[in-house]
Amino acid sequence: MDTNGSMDNGETEQHTQQHQQQQPAFDNVDITSPDEENENDIFESAIQEPLSPVLEDVPTDEAGDTFIEIAVADPQKVGDGMGSYLAYKVSTKTNILKFKKRQFFTMRRFSDFLGLHDLLVSKYLRMGRIIPPAPEKNIIGTTKVKMGSQPQSDPGTGVNLEWIENRRASLERFLNRVAQHPILCQDTDFVNFLESDQELPRAVNTAALSGAGVMRLFNKVGETVNKITYKMDENDPWFNDKINEVETIDAHMQKLHSAIKALVSHRKELATLTGGVAKSAALLSTCEEHTGLSQALSQLADVEEKVELLRSEQANSDLYILSETIKDYIGLFGAIKDVFHERVKVFQNWQHAQLQLTKKRENKAKLELQERRDKLEFAQKEVEEWEGKVQRCQKEFDDISSEIKKEMERFELARARDFKSTIIKYLEDQMAHQQQQMRYWEAIVPVARDIA
């Protein structure tokens, strides 16, 4: 049902946002296991410097003339019952030559986003690239939408739930973070996701309750155990320092996110209580016989009602500007840990290859001592084969180590820009609310002073 087309200037979506489970880094799997099955690659791909510049020193814009802006909007329910789903309008504006058009849009469902993430992980994680995490599933919210129990903004299919807005914004940030990566933004699957007018193949493996979903859960448990039990003898101090830094920042971000969530809850409760004060003051003003006092109470009720709205807006500011950014970066630090763990697995492959090469050489030496010339030729071929594997594994380890350092440098620059933009926007929003609240209170002071 996906549709795609060029947009008129009036339809162009200008909303753009720049740049978005805690697991232990690594710590012992026995790589000396005699099991020689699956020798080419015994480990499957893993799925699963402090910020120091002051704000004035952090550049705001990327260098270069190319740009890409992606907006996700208009969530619409398609179908009825348990077979229904939400589709989102994905609008793109870009001058990257990889794309056929400069402005276009398409409709994508949530599983399409998860499928895109899985494709990027399968192609780039083993190379050491940081893949922005896809938004989390919401089984309860999805079920409510499927069963048609959600409130609707229109008699049609428009939906207007808070969690849907959260998901829409998360999907938009996910796509824009992928788009800001110099390699991922050129990926064929990413371009096809944004530009194709065809419905994408159903990403059935993304279903939370599918058999594949259960298998993914078991695989993640196995990966987590491997991360905890394996300790790598690190020869590069850069990685030791960076792993410790990532763990520390991630832990503090988790605490900050929890604190902001508590603040959001407090502000919402305070807004509700303020609304209660407004209603009580209004009722009191209606039965107050003193004219001046009645007018003052009525004005107080009006101001408290306005302050209630301001406090609700402040709670939304805490949530959508600050909390969601922190949540995104918790996910990004999880993606960084996945990349570090992928390097460990490449190292494991290298060590396994070296171990097998040693065994093959020892076997060849025994055959030479026994003068088993009939088997020496085959033994020599095995030695040469494993020598080649050792060289390839070592090169893969060197390549992923080098790529991770480049990725971390790019990530830290982007993180500084992202947090600069977020902090400035949050401060300006908070100041605007405080100034508006001051104006409300100042307006009622003369009325109170006029009480005879």
Side-chain angles (χ1 to χ4, degrees), residues 230 328 384:
Y230 182 76
D328 287 347
E384 292 174 355

Side-chain angles (χ1 to χ4, degrees), residues 92 146 160 324 346 429:
T92 307
K146 289 180 179 294
N160 188 26
E324 290 299 298
V346 172
D429 196 72

Side-chain angles (χ1 to χ4, degrees), residues 172-378:
E172 184 173 273
R173 291 193 301 271
F174 164 66
L175 291 182
N176 277 290
R177 284 199 164 92
V178 174
Q180 296 309 314
H181 194 288
I183 303 299
L184 301 184
C185 72
Q186 304 278 350
D187 178 79
T188 303
D189 287 311
F190 181 63
V191 173
N192 185 62
F193 176 92
L194 296 176
E195 197 172 46
S196 174
D197 59 356
Q198 302 295 321
E199 184 174 352
L200 298 178
R202 180 73 188 280
V204 292
N205 288 342
T206 61
L209 301 179
S210 67
V214 174
M215 290 304 300
R216 282 201 319 277
L217 178 61
F218 281 114
N219 289 337
K220 286 183 179 181
V221 171
E223 288 292 342
T224 302
V225 172
N226 194 12
K227 291 179 184 182
I228 295 173
T229 57
Y230 182 76
K231 185 171 180 63
M232 172 180 167
D233 294 328
E234 184 61 72
N235 294 320
D236 189 338
W238 184 92
F239 280 95
N240 274 332
D241 294 341
K242 194 57 64 177
I243 290 165
N244 290 333
E245 178 186 327
V246 167
E247 291 285 358
T248 301
I249 295 177
D250 182 46
H252 287 298
M253 279 201 172
Q254 298 266 9
K255 293 178 181 178
L256 177 59
H257 185 246
S258 297
I260 295 174
K261 286 172 62 178
L263 176 62
V264 171
S265 177
H266 175 74
R267 284 203 202 271
K268 288 182 177 179
E269 182 181 3
L270 183 60
T272 301
L273 294 174
T274 304
V277 172
K279 292 176 183 178
S280 297
L283 290 173
L284 181 58
S285 68
T286 60
C287 60
E288 177 58 56
E289 295 183 358
H290 192 290
T291 304
L293 186 55
S294 176
Q295 290 178 347
L297 288 171
S298 177
Q299 291 274 349
L300 176 62
D302 290 341
V303 170
E304 292 285 8
E305 188 174 354
K306 293 176 181 177
V307 171
E308 176 190 6
L309 295 176
L310 279 179
R311 286 173 174 163
S312 295
E313 291 174 4
Q314 282 183 300
N316 289 333
S317 176
D318 295 331
L319 176 62
Y320 294 111
I321 298 178
L322 200 55
S323 178
E324 290 299 298
T325 298
I326 299 297
K327 182 180 178 181
D328 287 347
Y329 271 93
I330 291 173
L332 282 168
F333 277 111
I336 291 172
K337 293 178 186 179
D338 286 342
V339 171
F340 281 134
H341 181 58
E342 197 68 27
R343 176 176 174 268
V344 174
K345 291 168 66 178
V346 172
F347 177 80
Q348 288 177 303
N349 283 341
W350 180 22
Q351 297 304 297
H352 173 77
Q354 287 182 322
L355 180 63
Q356 295 303 315
L357 175 59
T358 300
K359 290 181 178 180
K360 300 303 180 185
R361 284 173 173 170
E362 290 174 351
N363 182 55
K364 179 190 172 188
K366 289 179 182 179
L367 293 174
E368 288 175 340
L369 290 173
Q370 296 171 1
E371 297 184 352
R372 301 284 300 275
R373 292 184 177 85
D374 56 324
K375 294 186 177 181
L376 271 176
E377 183 178 355
F378 179 73

Side-chain angles (χ1 to χ4, degrees), residues 112-127:
D112 294 334
F113 291 83
L114 300 184
L116 172 64
H117 176 262
D118 287 349
L119 286 171
L120 295 177
V121 167
S122 66
K123 289 194 284 187
Y124 295 106
L125 181 62
R126 193 60 180 255
M127 298 180 184

Side-chain angles (χ1 to χ4, degrees), residues 358-406:
T358 300
K359 290 181 178 180
K360 300 303 180 185
R361 284 173 173 170
E362 290 174 351
N363 182 55
K364 179 190 172 188
K366 289 179 182 179
L367 293 174
E368 288 175 340
L369 290 173
Q370 296 171 1
E371 297 184 352
R372 301 284 300 275
R373 292 184 177 85
D374 56 324
K375 294 186 177 181
L376 271 176
E377 183 178 355
F378 179 73
Q380 178 62 31
K381 287 182 179 179
E382 283 190 318
V383 170
E384 292 174 355
E385 177 185 349
W386 280 101
E387 285 176 342
K389 289 181 179 180
V390 168
Q391 291 177 355
R392 290 193 296 272
C393 288
Q394 182 177 2
K395 183 179 184 302
E396 186 179 8
F397 180 75
D398 292 340
D399 288 346
I400 193 174
S401 298
S402 174
E403 187 63 35
I404 287 175
K405 291 182 178 181
K406 295 176 183 176

Side-chain angles (χ1 to χ4, degrees), residues 58-84:
V58 179
T60 302
D61 299 315
E62 293 271 11
D65 297 328
T66 62
F67 74 93
I68 179 169
E69 300 175 354
I70 304 172
V72 178
D74 301 336
Q76 297 291 318
K77 182 179 177 180
V78 178
D80 296 308
M82 294 305 294
S84 63

Side-chain angles (χ1 to χ4, degrees), residues 17-185:
Q17 296 188 0
Q18 296 288 335
H19 314 302
Q20 290 257 242
Q21 316 164 11
Q22 188 173 3
Q23 299 172 333
F26 5 95
D27 281 287
N28 281 345
V29 160
D30 185 6
I31 63 171
T32 62
S33 171
D35 185 6
E36 298 183 16
E37 295 182 4
N38 300 324
E39 291 175 339
N40 289 329
D41 189 354
I42 58 172
F43 304 103
E44 295 181 351
S45 181
I47 306 300
Q48 296 280 252
E49 304 191 359
L51 178 60
S52 55
V54 295
L55 292 182
E56 291 81 356
D57 297 331
V58 179
T60 302
D61 299 315
E62 293 271 11
D65 297 328
T66 62
F67 74 93
I68 179 169
E69 300 175 354
I70 304 172
V72 178
D74 301 336
Q76 297 291 318
K77 182 179 177 180
V78 178
D80 296 308
M82 294 305 294
S84 63
Y85 58 89
L86 285 177
Y88 302 83
K89 182 179 180 181
V90 181
S91 306
T92 307
K93 182 179 180 182
T94 182
N95 63 356
I96 297 177
L97 297 179
K98 187 83 172 179
F99 294 88
K100 298 175 183 177
K101 303 173 184 177
R102 302 285 76 91
Q103 297 180 39
F104 45 90
F105 67 88
T106 189
M107 299 298 294
R108 293 291 181 234
R109 57 191 297 176
F110 181 66
S111 62
D112 294 334
F113 291 83
L114 300 184
L116 172 64
H117 176 262
D118 287 349
L119 286 171
L120 295 177
V121 167
S122 66
K123 289 194 284 187
Y124 295 106
L125 181 62
R126 193 60 180 255
M127 298 180 184
R129 300 215 163 98
I130 301 171
I131 313 301
E136 299 175 350
K137 303 179 184 69
N138 187 320
I139 298 177
I140 296 177
T142 301
T143 303
K144 287 182 178 180
V145 170
K146 289 180 179 294
M147 299 306 295
S149 60
Q150 85 286 356
Q152 297 185 344
S153 56
D154 296 305
T157 57
V159 291
N160 188 26
L161 285 176
E162 181 178 321
W163 78 266
I164 293 179
E165 170 56 25
N166 288 342
R167 172 179 281 187
R168 181 210 62 77
S170 297
L171 293 173
E172 184 173 273
R173 291 193 301 271
F174 164 66
L175 291 182
N176 277 290
R177 284 199 164 92
V178 174
Q180 296 309 314
H181 194 288
I183 303 299
L184 301 184
C185 72

